[in-house]
Each structure stands twice: as C-alpha cells, then as structure tokens.
Amino acid sequence: MDLAKVLQDIKNGKIGLEAAEEQIRSMGFVSYSSIAKVDTHRKNRTGIMEAVLADCKEPEDVVEIARIMASESRRALITRVSASHLEALKAAFSPDKLEWNSRARTVVVHDGTPAPRTGGVVGVISAGTADIPAAEEAGVVASEMGCEVVSVYDVGVAGIHRLIPELQKLKARNPGAIVVAAGREGTLPTVVSGLVDVPVIGLPVSTGYGAGGGGKAALLSMLQSCSILAVVNIDAGFVAGAYAARIANMIADASGAGAKPENKDPQE
C-alpha cells in the first residue's frame, strides 16, 4: 500500500474519506488467520525486510505467510527451514520461483526477478567449515538486502596463515562491513577486526563442547575482544547479515554507488 497513492485517490475523488481511512489503518501489515500480522512495510520503515522464521510454525502457516510476503513485496525470505517446511514450500511454489540454500536452511520465494542491487558489499568469513551454516545465513540475508556478498571460509586461527591471503582478496572488493562466524573459542573476529578498517560483526556459533560449549565461550570471547567488534547472539546469522547489509547500504548510498532509481525495489 502506497500512502501517496491513497492521498492522490482522495484528491482525484476516486475514494472517500472512510475508505481512505480504512486503507491507511491497514497499511503496513496483512493479517493471516488469527496468528500473524505480516509486516510487509518493515523494509520501508527500517531498511530490513521481515523474514519468516519457520521454526515453531506449522508448514501450512509458513507457506501462507510466505505467499503474503511474496505477493506484497515480490520476495519472501524464510529462515530455519526444516524438511517438512521445505516439502510444503516446494509443493506450493514452482521450482523457478523458489531458491533453497541447504547450508543456511533458508528459502527465498520470489516472482522470478532478481533482488534489486544496492551497490553495497558485505564480506562473510567463517573460522571453520562447521561455522559455514551460520555464515551462509548471514550471506543470504545480506544478498536479499541488495548487497554483493564475498565469502571466505575455513580460515580460523588454528591455521592463521590461511587468513592473510584471503583477507587481502576480500579487502580488494572494498566491503562496507564484514561478518565473522566462529565457534569454539571464537577468536577469529578479534583477529580480523585488528587487520581491517571496516566494521566487523562477530557471529558466535554453537560449535564446541564441554565447558563453554554451544557457543557460550565464543560469545564471551567476542564480547571481551580487545579489537572493536559488534557482537550478535549465538547462531544469529540473520541479525549479523542484516546489520552488515545496513552498514554497507548506507555506505553505498553516501558514496553514490547505490542502484539507479529504475533498478530499486518499487516499494522503497
């Protein structure tokens, strides 16, 4: 719903005040059944789209909420997708309108057009291969927010010599922000932050075992970093990717590198 169009319709006599008031009151969300009010204008309001968290939802509810999002915004991002959710989504949407990332456990439902590009660049680094799922979720979110995503995987501190050449390649792409996913002792974000001049978001991952396992040691290590970090919660790939993309997109806007008006999301 476009507020400017509602006002223009009033001016042109196409709708009355009562109908306009009803449209404005419902503007920004669409109700589904009695369980959800889908925030279709979150991207306009905050710069970050609403994602559908599939976890703890019935598959049929995930499908219908995704259908609403895709209808209103052309694209719907579903996270933490289980096998039953995936089966229901594949049954509901044609294969050319559905993108499944098995590592990130995300699905994107779309109308066949690519996500608009903003000119922002986000780096995503994982310490180990076990950290890739959280890193991939961050990358999917940043991509859906219009950013180019440059990924560097398996460069943790147990073999720190792997990081330096890969980091140089990443820096050459001029990322606006970098997400670093690490489990166990969670040291890598501190190292990366000490080597780059862009914001680093630490993403603790629930790998590791024993005392401090489940991502707790990684989280505390990042919070105690002697390098400057922003730190998100354990396994919060969505939050890390969204935060990095907001930074990168603001940089792109400020530098004039953003998408041309005709390539932007029509809802922006």
Side-chain angles (χ1 to χ4, degrees), residues 32 52 54 57-67 78 80-95 97-100 107-109:
Y32 161 67
V52 183
K57 291 184 178 69
E58 293 297 325
E60 58 269 25
D61 292 333
V62 170
V63 166
E64 292 308 316
I65 293 170
R67 202 187 302 278
I78 306 103
R80 306 298 168 94
V81 174
S82 69
S84 60
H85 293 125
L86 180 61
E87 182 180 358
L89 287 162
K90 284 184 173 180
F93 299 99
S94 61
K97 303 294 175 64
L98 187 147
E99 298 172 14
W100 161 241
V107 167
V108 176
V109 177

Side-chain angles (χ1 to χ4, degrees), residues 101-189:
N101 185 312
S102 59
R103 286 176 173 164
R105 290 175 53 205
T106 59
V107 167
V108 176
V109 177
H110 55 80
D111 63 357
T113 59
R117 298 294 93 184
T118 61
V121 180
V122 168
V124 177
I125 299 175
S126 85
T129 55
D131 305 316
I132 290 176
E136 281 280 301
E137 184 179 63
V140 169
V141 173
S143 179
E144 282 300 300
M145 289 179 59
C147 293
E148 174 191 355
V149 177
V150 183
S151 300
V152 175
Y153 291 158
D154 197 24
V155 290
V157 297
I160 198 66
H161 60 291
R162 301 172 295 178
L163 172 66
I164 304 305
E166 296 299 323
L167 194 58
Q168 292 304 315
K169 295 176 188 177
L170 175 57
K171 289 169 69 175
R173 305 290 285 274
N174 294 315
I178 300 173
V179 175
V180 184
R184 300 184 69 96
E185 84 289 354
T187 306
L188 187 61

Side-chain angles (χ1 to χ4, degrees), residues 64-77:
E64 292 308 316
I65 293 170
R67 202 187 302 278
I68 292 169
M69 287 298 301
S71 173
E72 294 290 322
S73 305
R74 298 195 306 168
R75 302 180 73 82
L77 171 63

Side-chain angles (χ1 to χ4, degrees), residues 11-26:
K11 180 180 178 181
N12 294 338
K14 292 183 178 180
I15 59 174
L17 290 177
E18 186 175 334
E21 181 181 8
E22 183 178 345
Q23 290 186 36
I24 290 171
R25 286 186 182 278
S26 66

